[in-house]
Amino acid sequence: MSLKERCPIIEFNDLGDERGKLVVVEGNDSIPFDIKRVFYIYGSDPTVVRGQHANRESEFVLINVAGNSKVRITDGKEEFIVELNKPMMGVYIPKMVWKDMYDFSPDSVLLVLASTHYDGKEYIRDYDEYLKEINEK
Ligand code: TYD
């Protein structure tokens, strides 16, 4: 499977009507895991690069619920960039995939859904260490 196939874009149901938009995001439904943790990133300067890690255990879905940002996704062999610019779209990032988030608009609110509770030890923050671990697999 290609990296893009492993990291699909997810389109959420928009139940909007004349009163406004309503987007539904459900664990084990449109999100392919049980959601254990939610965090959101905002107020990042457009020059900032965040992420810069892979996770041994966690899966994520990233959604820009306001504004926009980009995420560069790589497995050390393939690479692609997703522009997150619609509240009704997200990108799924499985375990052991490296991601960098950048180009945050001033109004960007990047919502992240995670399959685990936080454990700093499952983060790989050194790219050379990441390449070493995936090549051992
Ligand atoms: P970090 O992983 O560097 O954020 P990003 O990937 O968005 O650049 O996290 C920043 C800090 O917040 C770091 O000290 C770890 C802490 N943190 C938690 O305590 N719990 C969490 O769920 C997350 C995502 C981060």
Side-chain angles (χ1 to χ4, degrees):
M1 222 196 274
S2 71
L3 182 64
K4 265 193 171 173
E5 285 168 332
R6 292 172 58 216
C7 304
I9 303 293
I10 304 172
E11 297 278 344
F12 302 112
N13 282 339
D14 173 12
L15 305 180
D17 56 28
E18 65 287 351
R19 298 169 299 167
K21 301 283 191 195
L22 192 159
V23 179
V24 181
V25 174
E26 285 198 61
N28 291 320
D29 187 34
S30 53
I31 302 299
F33 52 77
D34 216 4
I35 301 164
K36 293 258 179 63
R37 175 166 50 118
V38 174
F39 56 95
Y40 38 94
I41 295 167
Y42 63 97
S44 279
D45 189 275
T47 62
V48 160
V49 181
R50 302 200 59 128
Q52 301 190 282
H53 45 60
N55 294 72
R56 297 185 182 94
E57 302 299 335
S58 301
E59 301 162 63
F60 300 96
V61 170
L62 275 58
I63 306 165
N64 254 103
V65 292
N68 55 79
S69 71
K70 294 195 183 91
V71 51
R72 188 179 75 91
I73 299 169
T74 182
D75 62 0
K77 298 182 192 75
E78 297 171 62
E79 174 187 316
F80 70 103
I81 293 167
V82 177
E83 181 157 9
L84 296 169
N85 55 11
K86 284 187 298 217
M88 60 278 285
M89 76 169 275
V91 60
Y92 170 67
I93 301 187
K95 296 176 194 178
M96 290 303 282
V97 168
W98 189 273
K99 61 246 175 253
D100 301 320
M101 295 88 83
Y102 60 102
D103 266 4
F104 296 94
S105 63
D107 60 344
S108 172
V109 181
L110 178 59
L111 179 71
V112 183
L113 311 174
S115 64
T116 59
H117 294 295
Y118 183 72
D119 173 9
K121 296 192 293 299
E122 63 107 8
Y123 279 67
I124 308 172
R125 294 181 180 272
D126 180 286
Y127 192 67
D128 289 335
E129 169 62 23
Y130 168 67
L131 292 178
K132 192 167 145 256
E133 287 195 29
I134 42 169
N135 288 323
E136 279 165 5
K137 289 204 161 200

